[in-house]
């Protein structure tokens, strides 16, 4: 069994900061938004964009799953009594090994080209290491395991930027307190396949986090107008590289192009430029995305987008959208990411 020991948990906790790239304030590719051309509120967005946020207090809530394709159904099939079904489920699990449940809350204040805020994120994850050598007649000796983790982070972030001559630049600082707990990962044992983390055991109330650690991170970014209606943006997170446990936390660079398709439509294309490990999954990751923002009227904006996320050798594509409603003293935003399991959904509000 690959159980997480307390001494290792402390190191894992330090490496968690950009794990899920949670779309706080409905500002992320999962909801048709953007990280590079963000709206200036998310602690994981581009700090050069703080001037984009409407002045005032902003609230955020996010809840739901992000899984590899059919991960929940596959885990359910590993419980079958038919060895043929179990054999097939393990083969599919090797291609779709990860599951992540997220719950997050946020409060942010925006003013001019500066911002600060507090967020709390809770994660429950699993990643399967599948034994593909003991299948069929050797199924009784199969040693497939699930690495299950539970994490909570309380984060304070502050940052600011400047805009001059069509070029914007900014920095942000994040101070985080993490709590982490391990979940017994046993999946296969003697061919009977009892395991602690079942198909829908990604519940936030189970296995409370027990190990505490602190982390700080520095991010930077810039945007530049290349021509009328065409912009370039680049950002980097975790500038302070860390080697933690089995994870080499290198800075991750992300670039984007944004094009005006008309007076009411914006197209954004963006991608990570390098693959680097981010927990709770120690495998290297990369995301590419596209989004379209359409201004229906002065009070209604609709955003739709899709992203392709790679974790290790596995990849998954998701699509989502957000509806923004602007009133004289209130801004409401409803986000939704389609998925076969427990769809990711978000709500954001601003009150002046």
């Amino acid at each position: 069994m690959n159980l997480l020991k307390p001494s290792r948990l402390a190191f894992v906790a330090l490496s968690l900061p950009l794990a899920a790239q949670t779309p706080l304030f409905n500002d992320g590719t999962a909801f048709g938004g953007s990280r590079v051309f963000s709206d200036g509120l998310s602690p994981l967005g581009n700090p050069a964009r703080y001037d984009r946020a409407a002045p005032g207090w902003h609230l955020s809530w996010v809840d739901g799953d992000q899984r590899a394709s059919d991960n929940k159904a596959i885990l359910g099939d590993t419980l079958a009594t038919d060895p043929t079904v179990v054999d097939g489920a393990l083969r599919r699990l090797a291609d779709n090994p990860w599951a992540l449940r997220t719950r997050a809350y946020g409060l942010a204040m925006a003013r001019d080209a500066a911002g600060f805020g507090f967020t709390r994120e809770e994660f429950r994850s699993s990643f399967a290491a599948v034994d593909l050598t003991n299948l069929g007649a050797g199924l009784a000796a199969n040693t497939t395991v699930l690495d299950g983790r539970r994490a909570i982070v309380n984060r304070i972030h502050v940052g600011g930027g400047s805009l001059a001559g069509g070029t914007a630049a900014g920095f942000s600082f994040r101070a985080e307190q993490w709590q982490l707990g391990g979940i017994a990962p046993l999946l296969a044992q003697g061919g009977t396949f009892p395991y602690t983390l079942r198909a829908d055991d990604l519940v936030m109330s189970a296995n409370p986090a027990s190990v505490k650690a602190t982390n700080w991170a520095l991010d930077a970014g810039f945007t530049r107008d290349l021509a009328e209606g065409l912009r370039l943006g680049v950002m980097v997170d975790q500038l302070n590289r860390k080697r933690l446990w089995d994870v080499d936390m290198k800075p991750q660079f992300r670039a984007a192009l944004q094009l005006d398709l008309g007076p009411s439509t914006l197209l954004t294309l963006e991608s990570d430029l390098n693959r680097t490990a981010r927990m709770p999954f120690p495998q290297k990751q990369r995301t590419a995305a596209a989004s379209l923002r359409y201004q229906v009227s002065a009070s209604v904006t609709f955003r739709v987008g899709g992203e392709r996320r790679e974790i290790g050798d596995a990849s998954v594509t998701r699509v989502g959208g957000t509806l923004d409603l602007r009133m004289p003293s209130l801004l409401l935003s409803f986000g939704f990411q389609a998925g076969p399991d427990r769809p990711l959904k978000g709500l954001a509000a601003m009150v002046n």
Side-chain angles (χ1 to χ4, degrees), residues 35-308:
R35 289 192 66 205
V36 178
F37 290 101
S38 59
D39 289 334
L41 292 170
S42 173
L44 304 181
N46 189 343
R49 300 279 291 182
Y50 278 114
D51 65 309
R52 307 297 298 180
W57 290 98
H58 298 254
L59 304 173
S60 177
W61 169 81
V62 180
D63 182 80
D65 284 2
Q66 299 175 75
R67 293 177 182 256
S69 299
D70 299 322
N71 174 268
K72 180 179 176 180
I74 294 170
L75 287 176
D77 286 344
T78 64
L79 297 174
T81 57
D82 186 344
T84 303
V85 174
V86 175
D87 188 287
L90 290 176
R91 294 180 189 275
R92 290 184 289 139
L93 186 61
D95 295 324
N96 304 277
W98 62 275
L100 178 68
R101 177 158 296 174
T102 302
R103 180 186 298 157
Y105 314 88
L107 172 66
M109 173 64 179
R111 184 179 179 87
D112 299 326
F116 68 91
F118 169 82
T119 57
R120 176 183 173 89
E121 299 176 50
E122 304 175 23
F123 304 110
R124 179 76 181 255
S125 66
S126 70
F127 198 99
V130 182
D131 177 6
L132 293 176
T133 61
N134 292 297
L135 298 174
L139 193 60
N142 194 281
T143 58
T144 296
V145 295
L146 284 177
D147 181 0
R149 301 180 184 186
R150 164 96 159 102
I152 302 172
V153 59
N154 295 307
R155 175 190 296 115
I156 296 175
H157 72 276
V158 61
S162 63
L163 174 64
T167 299
F171 292 88
S172 65
F173 173 79
R174 292 178 280 118
E176 302 165 333
Q177 181 187 58
W178 283 90
Q179 301 176 59
L180 186 71
I183 306 166
L186 184 63
L187 173 63
Q189 186 178 36
T192 59
F193 298 93
Y195 58 99
T196 303
L197 188 64
R198 295 180 182 270
D200 198 31
D201 274 356
L202 296 177
V203 291
M204 293 300 180
S205 59
N207 300 93
S210 57
V211 177
K212 294 184 178 181
T214 58
N215 181 74
W216 68 271
L218 183 65
D219 307 326
F222 89 97
T223 62
R224 181 174 178 82
D225 295 338
L226 300 179
E228 184 177 355
L230 179 62
R231 289 165 291 280
L232 169 70
V234 176
M235 62 176 292
V236 56
D237 61 53
Q238 198 69 50
L239 275 167
N240 49 313
R241 176 179 176 178
K242 292 179 179 290
R243 173 71 185 182
L244 301 170
W245 189 32
D246 58 347
V247 179
D248 189 5
M249 293 280 290
K250 298 179 180 179
Q252 187 161 43
F253 295 85
R254 190 176 181 93
L257 282 174
Q258 188 174 75
L259 176 66
D260 295 345
L261 299 182
S264 304
T265 308
L266 285 175
L267 173 66
T268 303
L269 305 173
E270 63 187 275
S271 177
D272 293 325
L273 301 180
N274 61 317
R275 291 168 56 91
T276 187
R278 290 291 187 266
M279 297 295 286
F281 306 116
Q283 290 76 15
K284 291 185 177 181
Q285 305 179 31
R286 180 168 56 192
T287 300
S291 62
L292 193 69
R293 179 190 294 257
Y294 179 64
Q295 187 80 36
V296 180
S297 67
S299 58
V300 178
T301 301
F302 181 66
R303 291 177 275 150
V304 62
E307 66 175 19
R308 179 178 177 82

Side-chain angles (χ1 to χ4, degrees), residues 304-325:
V304 62
E307 66 175 19
R308 179 178 177 82
R309 186 176 182 187
E310 301 174 4
I311 300 180
D313 295 328
S315 63
V316 64
T317 300
R318 292 284 187 264
V319 296
T322 294
L323 178 65
D324 298 325
L325 303 175

